[in-house]
Amino acid sequence: MGITRGFTGGARRGGDTRLPPGQYDTGAGWPVLSAELTPQVDLDEWTLTVDGLVDRPTTWDWRGIHALPPSSYFGDIHCVTTWSKFDTTFSGVSVDALLQVTGVRLEATHVFATSTTGYTTNLPLSDITDGKAWIVWEFDGKPLTAEHGGPVRLLVPHLYFWKSAKWVTRLELRDHDEQGFWERNGYHDRGDPWLEQRYQGDA
Ligand SMILES: Nc1nc2c(c(=O)[nH]1)N[C@H]1C(S)=C(S)[C@@H](COP(=O)(O)O)O[C@H]1N2
Ligand SMILES: [Mo]
């Protein structure tokens, strides 16, 4: 199969509708990109908090988050370092389900995601609502491994993958944008791979 990939995979080469500009298909592999050492997060101590400009700030523990309606993503992911991975399956809950519990105040325009490690990333609120973002703990039906953000990461697959904070522990809704870790280091505030929003200053 590996030998024919690229010949039969015409629909997957550049200039088609599936691979964003400047990206290549990484195939079966899944590179690990972490700015930090992989933390070991104890499930008994794991929590996720959604707060800031919400009506009911809420913290879920491991059991509590599993009580929400399950939701999965099937599709592609795109890293700014130019690899894309096709046909991934992630399972967890939609961010919409969390926001349904907390409510969203009218002033909220952005979200600031924080990981247990201190990694941060900023997103427009409209990029994590209406079925576009998930909190996930399974990949291909198995627990998400620690190096890929387990036990739980944010998944925002329509944006470059640095927005998908591994080991996420807090989503804070805000009425303004503030740059996170990579954004302060020159990466784009939004990061749409189809618009090639890689760096600050890109359209
Ligand atoms: N906490 C944390 N989340 C992170 C990162 C990171 O360094 N730390 N890297 C980001 C980047 S640049 C990418 S491409 C993806 C990589 O996820 P992966 O290692 O599971 O492929 O995670 C994103 N989330
Ligand atoms: Mo990345």
Side-chain angles (χ1 to χ4, degrees):
M1 190 190 141
I3 183 172
T4 54
R5 200 164 56 78
F7 292 99
T8 60
R12 295 186 170 193
R13 277 172 293 172
D16 64 67
T17 55
R18 189 161 190 191
L19 206 49
Q23 297 291 110
Y24 73 93
D25 174 6
T26 191
W30 186 6
V32 172
L33 281 102
S34 302
E36 325 91 301
L37 292 175
T38 297
Q40 295 303 321
V41 180
D42 187 344
L43 292 187
D44 292 334
E45 274 154 37
W46 178 87
T47 60
L48 175 73
T49 296
V50 177
D51 63 358
L53 294 171
V54 297
D55 300 320
R56 296 167 295 277
T58 304
T59 297
W60 288 269
D61 63 9
W62 186 248
R63 184 202 301 249
I65 200 132
H66 283 75
L68 294 170
S71 180
S72 295
Y73 167 75
F74 176 75
D76 307 340
I77 55 177
H78 311 286
C79 172
V80 73
T81 62
T82 74
W83 58 265
S84 291
K85 182 169 174 54
F86 293 136
D87 296 334
T88 66
T89 305
F90 288 92
S91 302
V93 295
S94 69
V95 171
D96 294 312
L98 304 178
L99 296 180
Q100 204 171 332
V101 172
T102 63
V104 175
R105 302 250 301 262
L106 275 176
E107 316 90 85
T109 57
H110 290 82
V111 63
F112 195 74
T114 304
S115 303
T116 54
T117 55
Y119 181 92
T120 54
T121 190
N122 52 305
L123 298 123
L125 182 61
S126 58
D127 277 311
I128 62 155
T129 50
D130 297 324
K132 291 195 283 301
W134 289 260
I135 293 289
V136 296
W137 50 83
E138 277 185 16
F139 175 77
D140 279 353
K142 292 188 274 299
L144 189 64
T145 60
E147 59 181 3
H148 287 300
V152 169
R153 77 182 297 164
L154 180 62
L155 177 70
V156 191
H158 72 290
L159 298 179
Y160 284 124
F161 213 35
W162 86 79
K163 298 290 181 178
S164 295
K166 303 198 277 191
W167 317 296
V168 69
T169 192
R170 183 179 179 200
L171 301 178
E172 187 190 4
L173 272 63
R174 297 180 167 182
D175 63 4
H176 62 279
D177 202 8
E178 180 191 331
Q179 294 178 329
F181 176 77
W182 282 120
E183 294 83 4
R184 280 197 298 273
N185 283 283
Y187 287 85
H188 200 275
D189 287 327
R190 178 148 186 268
D192 184 333
W194 298 98
L195 301 175
E196 247 193 307
Q197 295 172 333
R198 297 179 191 274
Y199 308 108
Q200 294 287 332
D202 288 348

